[in-house]
């Protein structure tokens, strides 16, 4: 039975659920469940260093040494053109004036359940206004939410929380693994730690004798300064094949309808949590691929967004075609994609400095290809690839696992929320 709100604001049906759905739990307006508390202004230049997270309309936006609210808590974005955040914080926190924080009105309501519920239903469809759309208390208060018994709420929150926790653990693990690869690149190819150690008569730290033997024990002059003996300086365009992409006419269905070939734009990269591309939003047909001069690029191609913005990076985990917003680097055994990925990350300031344009900055292939790259002997390149390959393989495995867990969560969630699947209801025995 739907419990209608008592005010003039019309009830809003829970977004994401079918209208003809049979509900096993009562639908109750949000105003009877939670209070939306306003945050308090806290300019970035007035914050003091601390460990208290600060939240705004799009999520965490900094740190402070004082809290505004006791944790754990639920934070909801309040205003802005972009998506409104729905965040959970386990400890005390501060909320600025572009967001709300919730407090429950009923003892039989679990706030963590409300978090999963609101995150699924969303907030953006409830915003009012055009120049600075805002989520009002009245509009949110009219949103209907299913409310099972407290024990069921807790079970639902525990199941969904466990999936979210594993996804977050994978994300943190990937951050650590990527940092390990970058630290090795910095040590070998920027700071030249193994060479300096041998120059000082020391055994290079962390290297077996066979790998250490690949490194020189002296430096030589070059056009970019002192470099290890035996290393060379070459341009990007001389060591990897740099190609661009295109966009087949979106008005021509034969290029898109039923497409099976991945086609990417920089938009796909904006939400990547690691420099690996596993999927794309859109796909092309064979006819669509034929309209792009670079065609379908092989697995392992390194993609660099060349405009809007410059600097997104990812290695393609599948064959992919690209639009005109990329420079794609087809690497090889002499120059691995892992080396070039880390080289681009390390030299992004140099890459961006070569961009041109007035409306928006863009680096062309013509300006990218001449950038000098310090290249080690092939034995050191091979040793680096051997050491970091397992790190990126683990990152990839974690990303795939997180996708499976997210799909499972998103499949279970509506069934749990409407009561079709109850973790609290014992199975009948025949």
């Amino acid at each position: 039975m739907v419990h209608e709100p008592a005010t003039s604001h019309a009830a809003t049906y829970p977004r994401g659920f079918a209208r003809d759905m049979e509900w096993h739990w009562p639908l109750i307006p949000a105003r009877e469940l939670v209070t939306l508390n306003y945050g308090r202004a806290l300019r970035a230049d007035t914050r003091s260093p601390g460990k208290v997270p600060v939240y705004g309309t799009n999520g965490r936006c900094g740190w402070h040494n004082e809290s505004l609210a006791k944790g754990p808590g639920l934070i909801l974005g309040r205003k802005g053109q972009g998506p409104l955040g729905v965040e959970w914080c386990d400890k005390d926190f501060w909320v600025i004036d572009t967001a709300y924080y919730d407090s429950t009105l009923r003892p039989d309501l679990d706030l963590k359940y409300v978090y999963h519920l609101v995150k699924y239903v969303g907030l953006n469809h409830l915003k009012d206004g055009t120049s600075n759309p805002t989520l009002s208390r009245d509009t949110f208060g009219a949103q209907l939410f299913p409310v099972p018994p407290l024990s069921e709420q807790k079970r639902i929150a525990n199941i969904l929380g466990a999936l979210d926790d594993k996804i977050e653990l994978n994300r943190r693990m990937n951050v650590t693994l990527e940092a390990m690869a970058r630290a090795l690149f910095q040590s070998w190819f920027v700071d030249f730690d193994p060479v300096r150690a041998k120059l000082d008569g020391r055994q290079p730290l962390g290297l077996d004798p066979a790998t250490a033997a690949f490194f020189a024990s002296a430096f030589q002059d070059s056009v970019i300064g002192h470099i290890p003996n035996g290393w060379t300086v070459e341009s990007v365009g001389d060591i990897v094949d740099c190609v661009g992409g295109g966009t087949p006419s979106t008005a021509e269905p034969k290029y898109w309808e039923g497409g099976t070939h991945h086609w990417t734009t920089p938009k796909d990269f904006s939400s990547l949590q690691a420099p690996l591309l596993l999927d794309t939003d859109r796909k092309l047909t064979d006819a669509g691929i034929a309209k792009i001069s670079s065609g379908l690029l092989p697995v392992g191609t390194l993609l660099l967004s060349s405009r809007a913005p410059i600097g997104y990076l990812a290695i393609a985990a599948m064959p992919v075609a690209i639009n005109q917003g990329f420079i794609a680097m087809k690497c090889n055994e002499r120059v691995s994609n892992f080396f070039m990925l880390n080289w681009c990350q390390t030299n992004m300031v140099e890459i961006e400095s070569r961009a041109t344009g007035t409306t928006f900055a863009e680096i062309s292939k013509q300006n990218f290809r001449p950038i000098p790259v310090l290249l080690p002997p092939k034995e050191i390149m091979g040793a680096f690839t051997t050491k970091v390959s397992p790190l990126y393989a683990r990152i990839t495995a974690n990303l795939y696992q997180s996708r499976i867990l997210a799909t499972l969560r998103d499949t279970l969630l509506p069934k749990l929320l409407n009561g079709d699947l109850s973790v609290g209801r014992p199975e009948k025995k025949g």
Side-chain angles (χ1 to χ4, degrees):
M1 180 173 119
V2 174
H3 187 134
E4 296 290 350
T7 72
S8 59
H9 271 265
T12 305
Y13 196 80
R15 185 168 178 261
F17 295 95
R19 278 278 176 178
D20 59 354
M21 178 173 292
E22 179 183 352
W23 290 90
H24 299 278
W25 318 121
L27 295 178
I28 299 176
R31 67 171 54 86
E32 296 182 17
L33 303 175
V34 297
T35 297
L36 298 187
N37 305 290
Y38 285 107
R40 187 186 304 169
L42 183 66
R43 297 199 321 266
D45 60 357
T46 64
R47 299 173 195 173
S48 300
K51 297 183 179 181
V52 176
V54 178
Y55 289 89
T57 195
N58 296 315
R60 197 175 70 201
C61 57
W63 302 88
H64 192 42
N65 67 341
E66 295 182 30
S67 61
L68 177 65
K70 301 291 290 183
L74 171 59
I75 302 99
L76 306 182
R78 186 168 72 88
K79 60 171 65 177
Q81 293 283 355
L84 298 181
V86 180
E87 304 290 336
W88 179 262
C89 185
D90 285 315
K91 58 183 182 178
D92 296 352
F93 55 93
W94 189 289
V95 178
I96 63 175
D97 54 354
T98 62
Y100 298 111
Y101 62 97
D102 287 20
S103 53
T104 59
L105 294 173
R106 299 167 44 147
D108 63 341
L109 191 67
D110 181 73
L111 195 59
K112 193 64 177 284
Y113 166 78
V114 178
Y115 160 72
H116 289 291
L117 181 58
V118 176
K119 196 171 182 67
Y120 176 76
V121 173
L123 298 174
N124 296 313
H125 66 295
L126 300 174
K127 291 190 293 187
D128 298 313
T130 54
S131 61
N132 191 23
T134 300
L135 172 68
S136 71
R137 284 168 154 175
D138 286 340
T139 303
F140 180 77
Q143 173 72 71
L144 297 171
F145 288 129
V147 182
L150 180 60
S151 58
E152 184 77 5
Q153 294 174 42
K154 290 183 177 295
R155 293 187 184 99
I156 292 172
N158 286 339
I159 289 174
L160 299 176
L163 294 172
D164 281 347
D165 288 347
K166 177 55 179 170
I167 292 171
E168 174 61 15
L169 179 62
N170 284 347
R171 186 195 67 79
R172 293 181 182 180
M173 189 183 303
N174 284 352
V175 169
T176 300
L177 293 168
E178 189 179 355
M180 292 169 62
R182 296 184 73 167
L184 186 64
F185 183 90
Q186 178 75 25
S187 175
W188 284 18
F189 306 119
V190 179
D191 298 333
F192 311 125
D193 289 333
V195 178
R196 297 186 189 282
K198 295 179 74 170
L199 187 61
D200 294 340
R202 296 179 285 109
Q203 173 67 23
L205 187 64
L207 295 186
D208 60 87
T211 304
F214 297 147
F215 288 88
S217 57
F219 289 91
Q220 65 186 30
D221 289 330
S222 77
V223 293
I224 62 171
H226 291 301
I227 63 173
N229 279 352
W231 294 33
T232 59
V233 179
E234 304 180 44
S235 64
V236 173
D238 288 336
I239 61 175
V240 296
D241 186 12
C242 300
V243 299
T247 302
S249 173
T250 55
E252 182 51 71
K254 70 178 182 179
Y255 299 149
W256 303 95
E257 290 184 3
T260 58
H261 303 296
H262 291 279
W263 176 80
T264 189
T265 74
K267 182 181 177 182
D268 288 326
F269 285 50
S270 61
S271 59
L272 294 184
Q273 294 186 347
L276 290 155
L277 182 66
L278 306 185
D279 201 0
T280 59
D281 184 54
R282 303 190 67 181
K283 295 179 175 62
L284 287 169
T285 62
D286 290 346
I289 292 294
K291 299 297 291 185
I292 301 176
S293 60
S294 55
L296 201 60
L297 300 170
V299 173
T301 301
L302 175 61
L303 307 178
L304 165 70
S305 65
S306 56
R307 66 183 187 185
I310 296 171
Y312 286 151
L313 283 161
I315 294 172
M318 69 290 183
V320 65
I322 58 176
N323 83 339
Q324 58 275 19
F326 288 102
I327 295 174
M329 287 165 267
K330 294 192 281 187
C331 302
N332 47 64
E333 291 183 0
R334 180 68 183 90
V335 187
S336 75
N337 50 10
F338 300 133
F339 176 87
M340 287 306 298
L341 168 66
N342 283 273
W343 179 86
C344 286
Q345 290 170 333
T346 302
N347 291 275
M348 192 55 66
V349 172
E350 171 68 17
I351 293 171
E352 291 174 342
S353 73
R354 302 201 176 213
T356 59
T358 53
T359 305
F360 52 80
E362 177 177 10
I363 181 166
S364 65
K365 294 186 294 295
Q366 182 180 0
N367 289 341
F368 180 71
R369 289 188 178 111
I371 300 177
V373 179
L374 177 59
L375 211 59
K378 63 180 182 179
E379 294 83 4
I380 296 177
M381 180 70 72
F384 176 76
T385 301
T386 298
K387 283 185 175 292
V388 300
S389 290
L391 302 180
Y392 287 106
R394 183 63 183 275
I395 291 173
T396 303
N398 287 341
L399 289 173
Y400 277 118
Q401 184 185 61
S402 291
R403 287 182 67 190
I404 293 171
L405 293 173
T407 300
L408 175 61
R409 177 198 61 202
D410 296 342
T411 301
L412 286 175
L413 202 150
K415 297 180 181 295
L416 291 169
L417 295 182
N418 84 329
D420 276 350
L421 180 62
S422 174
V423 291
R425 186 185 304 141
E427 294 184 6
K428 293 182 180 180
K429 296 182 178 180

